[in-house]
Amino acid sequence: MRDPQPLPLLAATALLLLGCSGSEDPVKADPAPEAQADQEFTPIAAPSKPMTDLELVEDRTEEVADRLLSFSAVLVKQDFEAAKAWLADDFLGMGFAGLLVSSETTQLQGVVSRDFDVSQAPIVDKTGLIASWEETFGKWGQVSSVIWKVKGAEFQQGGRPSGRIRLYLHATGILPDGTMQSFAAWGWARVKRVGDWVIDRLEFTSYNFKTLSKAPYVEVTNAAGVGHTFARFGSDQNRSFHFNGAAAGDVDGDGDWDLFVPSDERNFLYIAQPDGTYTEEAVQRAVDQPDDGTGAVFFDFDNDGDQDLFVAQVGWALEDDRGGHHCVLYTNDGAGNFTQASELAGLGSPFVAYSPTVLDFDGDGWLDIFLSCYGMVEREHNNSWFQATNGYPNALLRNLGEGKGFEDVATKLGMAGSKWSYASAAADIDLDGDPDLYVANDYGDNEFWINAGDGTFEQQSDARGVTDRGNGMGVSFGDLNQDGRLDLYVSNMSSTAGNRILDRLEDSIDPETFQVLRKLAAGNSIFFQEEDGTLKRLPKTAGGVGASWAWSANLADLNLDGRLDIFCTNGFVTGNLAFDT
Amino acid sequence: MVASTVCATPNEGEFKLQSVGNEGFLDRHNSQIFAEGRSFSGNERDKLFLNRGDGTFADISDLSGCDSPGDGRGVICADLDDDGDLDLFVHEIQRERHHLYRNNLGGKFIKVRLIATSGQHEAIGATVIVHGPEGPVAQPLTRGAGFVSCQAPELVFGLGTADSGTVQVVWPGGMKENFGTIQANSRVLLTEGSGQATNFAARPRPLPDPLPKGLLLRMGDTLPALGMLDAQGELAILDPIALADGGELWINLWGKSCVPCIKEMPLLLEHDKSADLRVVLLCTDPPQHRAQAAPIAAKRAAGLADFYLGAEPRDVAAPPENYIDLLRLPIPTTLRISAEGKLLGVIRGTVPPH
């Protein structure tokens, strides 16, 4: 299929867009006088004459979204006096206190969920709204987050800039006794720009409170001795897109899981101690350098009974002498002391490697490595949003055995390709005794390599229904529906801004293209394996996939109830300023 | 993906990839906006979806205790303390790079490790199927899945309320082998061809209780004398041992905009009246806010020693930021310090009643 990239769409690829300003100044474009503010609360109506220039509407939407993020920051600090600056002097709206419960259910894991009857919400002024916020949320000993998310927006043409926004408000906090609470509301706000944007009307359409007496997890990072503070992302010290991962294995053979963490400037090796803490021993055990590795895997490279360590590197810059590293193999002496063995065969070439996956693809008893290789982002952009073909070739490092090294057989087997591969996972999907391999590709179609049993693979992503075009970021296998068959979870990305813009464009672009774009902004995918070996996508309404800009997902039984759950890391870059949508 | 640079130029009706000079688009977009401290798809918290068992999933992320907003990448899910449930280690790209989450749920489990005899001994690629209370659940033994993540070579199966489960392995090579019924809370080593599970010993190593984010001390670490200012802006040393005076010292971290902090000050005063407990206030506001903060402490907690940031020079005592990341530490937080100056514990949020 040809890339559907004709122009007007492009604004739509705004799920990818940022920082693209229109040529027209949106402030100067609206010279008409300010409209008279209402004095009584009435349902918030759409603008009578809405702005139609998509770019200007989105610019204005981002202004409002940014402004609401700083509102969130003030509310997280529980600075209720300062919070009044985000409300118009003539504010009227539904308050947060005094509503009646309309339904209450106890859900999985003891989560108590209460919906409130918004039709009975008291209408309050500016002071009343803040007071109701304080009454409801001021009891939290710690506010974990407050998010005002702009899900849609329309703005009035002419007059002082004003508009109606579709809102999602979400807040989480912890009561002094440790009880976890979250609040979520959908609604509308009328906003106007008086210097800064302020809210002058607020109306909820739903209002839900969830409570859980004890969180499933508690963070023990610093107490366990694995805390590491570094420069924020984007600063000179920390600006590499060579995202670093983590690997678990028993380095010293004591039966505990140690943790290797590739990182900027140096790597970390946390050795588990009997008292529940860790000691960091990367230097002593000689795995602290080179830095900037991406994925790492523990496995027994030379079949001597201990855990060796392979660290992937983005090394394309080696080719033109601009730095970078080769992938590194560290061999273990059995006691957890490592030696770099990078002079071995097959490790002298640079790769743009992110996620290594260990598998014995040819069944010879020696473990091989598939390397997902991305594009050289610092040098060349992807040449398509949907079917990029200028990625670095993937590698399949066949283990030569006896500790000799590797041979890259990806090209020979037709698996090298030129996609932007971020991740892979191997599992015996058809239970025929050999590992199959799924490759998640950014800017394109994913691949599902079914092992023929003779050391070759056949690409069957279409045949098995798992091509999952989009921005593949990660992949995991596990049985998510308790039928004894392995299912598939693919991490993708979605975007509030992207979906918001697509909503506006639905009527103006062809349906096929619209569906492609919608898929790009749709989030993760769950595929259940059928009896015939094909896989079927679970509808989005089943949940488990709404993770925004998603990365690594793990399928595991986190609450030990006999069913595998999903944990997924999420988010691209969170700055230290409140500018984001 | 990394952030894109597609821009629409609607007036000209064309679409182009932006590239500026020889630096390429990354310097024009990603690096530039991130250097400025802007977000792009930021403030997105990690997700925890629980399996309801009917083909649907419940999002309990915001109540999970593991929904960090710090742009996670790699994740390890393993029973790090050997109590049967699965803990999490997450590598993020922001200031606090490493995160370890202890699972508090517990429950019944079967824990499986594998030894293959016909091929590579680690049995990577094997599939283990446990028939438990919700039906047969399959898990593959992997090394390298998700995104830049490698799991430990051990599989954990929950049993809900069941007392046992039956275990089957499909080994690399294709042999299917049954290992029969395994009792709950067993740790078993399954060796290919043996047909019998062998128990291996538990190695419990309870993960410690949490310290708050931003506290750069471990339990038992010594907090040295800190260089601070007093309410008048004069150099004042916060010397834990001297202030504890043979008893326990509470260092209450607060800020002038923190309502719960200010509310609890009278209670702190009450605690300070105990024979073996001294309480001091450490204001986390920037130095320029001392003039606004100090009167609040004087009014709400008259009599408590109060300390402020901004001491220079620091050669007479340690800078507080070496021990407390004041930008990251949630307030109110109260550090419990022993008479010897060691960290005894942390009270997160407001202190309990006297």
Side-chain angles (χ1 to χ4, degrees):
Chain A
M1 173 181 164
R2 198 168 63 83
D3 274 7
Q5 294 189 340
L7 163 191
L9 275 206
L10 253 273
T13 23
L15 55 155
L16 321 167
L17 284 182
L18 73 143
C20 301
S21 300
S23 56
E24 198 178 348
D25 179 345
V27 179
K28 292 174 183 170
D30 298 322
E34 180 184 358
Q36 186 70 35
D38 297 338
Q39 291 306 311
E40 291 186 9
F41 186 82
T42 54
I44 298 169
S48 56
K49 190 179 174 192
M51 290 169 59
T52 55
D53 184 318
L54 178 71
E55 188 110 357
L56 291 181
V57 170
E58 186 54 21
D59 281 352
R60 192 159 284 185
T61 304
E62 294 207 14
E63 282 179 30
V64 173
D66 285 348
R67 176 73 175 147
L68 290 178
L69 271 171
S70 56
F71 191 23
S72 301
V74 168
L75 292 170
V76 166
K77 286 187 201 164
Q78 305 203 53
D79 190 345
F80 304 121
E81 195 54 39
K84 290 177 183 171
W86 277 259
L87 303 176
D89 289 340
D90 59 349
F91 173 88
L92 281 179
M94 293 182 178
F96 297 100
L99 283 79
L100 300 174
V101 175
S102 59
S103 71
E104 176 175 320
T105 56
T106 300
Q107 303 175 345
L108 211 57
Q109 213 58 47
V111 173
V112 177
S113 174
R114 294 186 181 92
D115 288 316
F116 288 80
D117 182 1
V118 292
S119 70
Q120 302 298 315
I123 302 301
V124 295
D125 62 9
K126 176 176 177 169
T127 305
L129 185 85
I130 298 299
S132 73
W133 181 281
E134 184 175 359
E135 181 181 341
T136 308
F137 304 108
K139 64 186 74 157
W140 287 348
Q142 186 181 325
V143 183
S144 306
S145 78
V146 176
I147 297 172
W148 297 77
K149 208 88 174 167
V150 179
K151 294 290 185 178
E154 310 149 282
F155 295 93
Q156 181 72 29
Q157 280 189 34
R160 168 168 287 170
S162 64
R164 180 178 78 154
I165 59 175
R166 180 75 169 136
L167 263 185
Y168 176 65
L169 170 59
H170 185 257
T172 58
I174 307 172
L175 291 171
D177 68 357
T179 300
M180 310 291 286
Q181 290 194 323
S182 74
F183 166 79
W186 283 90
W188 300 95
R190 198 173 72 188
V191 294
K192 62 184 179 185
R193 191 160 62 196
V194 187
D196 282 321
W197 286 95
V198 292
I199 299 172
D200 76 348
R201 293 291 184 275
L202 186 60
E203 176 186 350
F204 294 115
T205 51
S206 71
Y207 185 118
N208 172 269
F209 230 104
K210 288 190 173 67
T211 299
L212 181 60
S213 59
K214 187 180 178 188
Y217 283 92
V218 63
E219 181 163 5
V220 298
T221 305
N222 290 336
V226 297
H228 169 52
T229 304
F230 196 58
R232 73 168 174 82
F233 189 83
S235 63
D236 287 345
Q237 209 180 350
N238 180 12
R239 56 189 300 177
S240 166
F241 290 95
H242 307 164
F243 301 125
N244 319 120
D250 184 4
V251 162
D252 50 7
D254 66 356
D256 299 329
W257 303 129
D258 309 303
L259 308 170
F260 176 77
V261 193
S263 198
D264 295 290
E265 296 190 344
R266 52 155 304 179
N267 304 317
F268 295 78
L269 179 61
Y270 294 117
I271 301 293
Q273 302 298 311
D275 67 355
T277 65
Y278 293 82
T279 57
E280 202 290 300
E281 301 183 13
V283 172
Q284 298 94 309
R285 294 175 185 268
V287 292
D288 58 313
Q289 294 293 340
D291 72 335
D292 207 24
T294 46
V297 282
F298 283 113
F299 72 112
D300 190 355
F301 157 71
D302 46 13
N303 281 348
D304 66 352
D306 56 35
Q307 291 293 288
D308 307 304
L309 175 65
F310 179 91
V311 183
Q313 290 275 350
V314 176
W316 66 268
L318 287 162
E319 291 177 342
D320 50 6
D321 210 20
R322 289 171 55 177
H325 303 294
H326 293 103
C327 295
V328 183
L329 179 75
Y330 304 90
T331 55
N332 190 332
D333 70 353
N337 302 304
F338 290 89
T339 304
Q340 281 193 43
S342 301
E343 75 287 354
L344 292 174
L347 298 177
S349 304
F351 298 101
V352 186
Y354 276 81
S355 306
T357 293
V358 177
L359 72 171
D360 182 10
F361 80 94
D362 53 3
D364 67 353
W366 298 94
L367 289 164
D368 315 300
I369 299 175
F370 183 82
L371 281 180
S372 298
C373 293
Y374 199 61
M376 297 170 280
V377 287
E378 293 91 342
R379 185 161 78 178
E380 184 181 22
H381 196 11
N382 47 301
N383 59 5
S384 161
W385 296 109
F386 314 110
Q387 288 187 314
T389 56
N390 60 338
Y392 206 89
N394 292 329
L396 178 55
L397 302 179
R398 188 178 77 82
N399 191 328
L400 298 173
E402 309 294 345
K404 293 175 188 163
F406 300 95
E407 171 196 14
D408 181 5
V409 296
T411 301
K412 189 163 75 182
L413 296 180
M415 301 170 75
S418 57
K419 295 186 175 178
W420 290 57
S421 303
Y422 247 155
S424 56
D428 186 2
I429 189 82
D430 45 15
L431 298 183
D432 65 352
D434 51 43
D436 309 300
L437 182 77
Y438 191 90
V439 183
N441 296 315
D442 206 352
Y443 313 119
D445 295 348
N446 296 337
E447 298 158 311
F448 197 11
W449 297 96
I450 301 299
N451 195 320
D454 59 359
T456 66
F457 290 84
E458 184 179 346
Q459 211 288 89
Q460 296 187 4
S461 62
D462 281 342
R464 295 190 182 238
V466 291
T467 298
D468 202 41
R469 168 172 289 185
N471 301 106
M473 317 289 275
V475 53
S476 294
F477 287 101
D479 178 1
L480 287 169
N481 59 350
Q482 307 87 238
D483 63 358
R485 292 190 288 269
L486 292 175
D487 307 312
L488 182 65
Y489 190 91
V490 182
S491 302
N492 289 302
M493 50 161 284
S494 72
S495 152
T496 295
N499 280 305
R500 187 172 66 215
I501 293 165
L502 283 172
D503 288 343
R504 294 182 185 130
L505 287 171
E506 184 164 7
D507 297 334
S508 60
I509 53 181
D510 72 86
E512 183 189 0
T513 303
F514 184 80
Q515 287 310 317
V516 171
L517 291 171
R518 184 63 92 187
K519 171 66 182 70
L520 292 183
N524 300 347
S525 302
I526 294 173
F527 296 95
F528 284 165
Q529 188 181 174
E530 308 277 290
E531 228 173 322
D532 64 1
T534 62
L535 291 101
K536 190 173 178 186
R537 183 193 300 277
L538 193 64
K540 194 175 176 181
T541 50
V545 294
S548 301
W549 200 298
W551 298 89
S552 200
N554 205 287
L555 313 183
D557 190 352
L558 303 177
N559 57 357
L560 298 179
D561 64 353
R563 306 184 286 253
L564 300 189
D565 310 300
I566 302 159
F567 178 79
C568 186
T569 55
N570 196 23
F572 184 43
V573 174
T574 302
N576 61 349
L577 301 176
F579 295 115
D580 195 11
T581 57
Chain B
M1 64 179 294
V2 295
S4 108
T5 55
V6 183
C7 284
T9 49
N11 295 333
E12 300 168 17
E14 65 173 7
F15 150 54
K16 62 186 178 186
L17 298 179
Q18 290 205 345
S19 180
V20 177
N22 295 322
E23 295 303 310
F25 77 97
L26 276 175
D27 286 333
R28 163 67 178 82
H29 284 276
N30 286 343
S31 298
Q32 181 180 328
I33 68 161
F34 299 143
E36 291 167 356
R38 295 170 67 101
S39 294
F40 184 24
S41 275
N43 301 296
E44 293 175 351
R45 291 173 166 263
D46 295 334
K47 287 289 185 179
L48 197 166
F49 301 107
L50 291 182
N51 185 336
R52 292 195 183 97
D54 60 357
T56 69
F57 296 84
D59 182 349
I60 69 154
S61 311
D62 49 14
L63 304 171
S64 67
C66 57
D67 61 331
S68 169
D71 309 328
R73 294 294 182 264
V75 57
I76 291 166
C77 180
D79 183 10
L80 298 173
D81 49 10
D82 199 19
D83 64 352
D85 56 28
L86 290 158
D87 311 296
L88 298 167
F89 179 89
V90 177
H91 194 173
E92 299 185 340
I93 66 170
Q94 294 297 349
R95 290 174 196 275
E96 290 161 358
R97 297 283 290 254
H98 306 163
H99 296 261
L100 178 58
Y101 301 98
R102 184 184 73 195
N103 189 322
N104 289 328
L105 292 174
K108 296 181 183 178
F109 63 92
I110 295 174
K111 182 181 281 197
V112 175
R113 296 183 186 179
L114 303 175
I115 296 180
T117 55
S118 64
Q120 35 96 15
H121 65 90
E122 296 191 77
I124 293 170
T127 307
V128 179
I129 303 166
V130 171
H131 295 255
E134 303 291 327
V137 174
Q139 293 194 67
L141 191 75
T142 67
R143 300 289 181 85
F147 174 74
V148 294
S149 301
C150 174
Q151 305 308 318
E154 175 176 272
L155 297 172
V156 174
F157 293 84
L159 288 180
T161 57
D163 294 324
S164 64
T166 60
V167 178
Q168 183 183 41
V169 180
V170 181
W171 295 97
M175 186 175 86
K176 296 180 174 63
E177 185 170 12
N178 293 317
F179 285 87
T181 301
I182 307 290
Q183 296 305 306
N185 300 343
S186 296
R187 297 161 175 82
V188 291
L189 185 66
L190 308 180
T191 303
E192 183 182 9
S194 72
Q196 290 217 324
T198 307
N199 286 295
F200 64 87
R203 286 180 58 86
R205 47 179 297 272
L207 290 167
D209 288 330
L211 296 174
K213 273 185 183 178
L215 185 63
L216 310 177
L217 289 166
R218 287 201 222 182
M219 215 64 79
D221 282 357
T222 299
L223 182 67
L226 303 177
M228 306 289 298
L229 300 179
D230 64 15
Q232 286 72 45
E234 300 296 325
L235 184 67
I237 306 300
L238 194 167
D239 183 344
I241 295 174
L243 289 162
D245 194 21
E248 184 174 325
L249 175 71
W250 285 9
I251 302 176
N252 175 258
L253 302 162
W254 71 287
K256 72 177 178 59
S257 300
C258 164
V259 173
C261 299
I262 296 166
K263 277 186 179 167
E264 75 167 342
M265 282 183 176
L267 183 56
L268 293 168
L269 207 49
E270 285 299 308
H271 280 291
D272 187 60
K273 291 174 182 166
S274 305
D276 299 325
L277 176 61
R278 297 280 73 79
V279 181
V280 299
L281 303 175
L282 192 165
C283 179
T284 61
D285 289 325
Q288 64 268 29
H289 292 171
R290 177 178 49 79
Q292 291 92 52
I296 297 172
K299 182 177 175 187
R300 299 281 297 171
L304 291 187
D306 48 339
F307 296 90
Y308 301 85
L309 300 177
E312 293 287 351
R314 288 168 165 167
D315 51 358
V316 294
E321 61 267 29
N322 285 6
Y323 305 93
I324 306 165
D325 182 345
L326 297 168
L327 289 174
R328 288 287 177 269
L329 190 76
I331 54 173
T333 288
T334 301
L335 308 181
R336 293 179 51 221
I337 306 291
S338 74
E340 296 76 35
K342 295 183 187 303
L343 183 66
L344 285 175
V346 177
I347 302 169
R348 301 160 70 107
T350 51
V351 299
H354 184 50

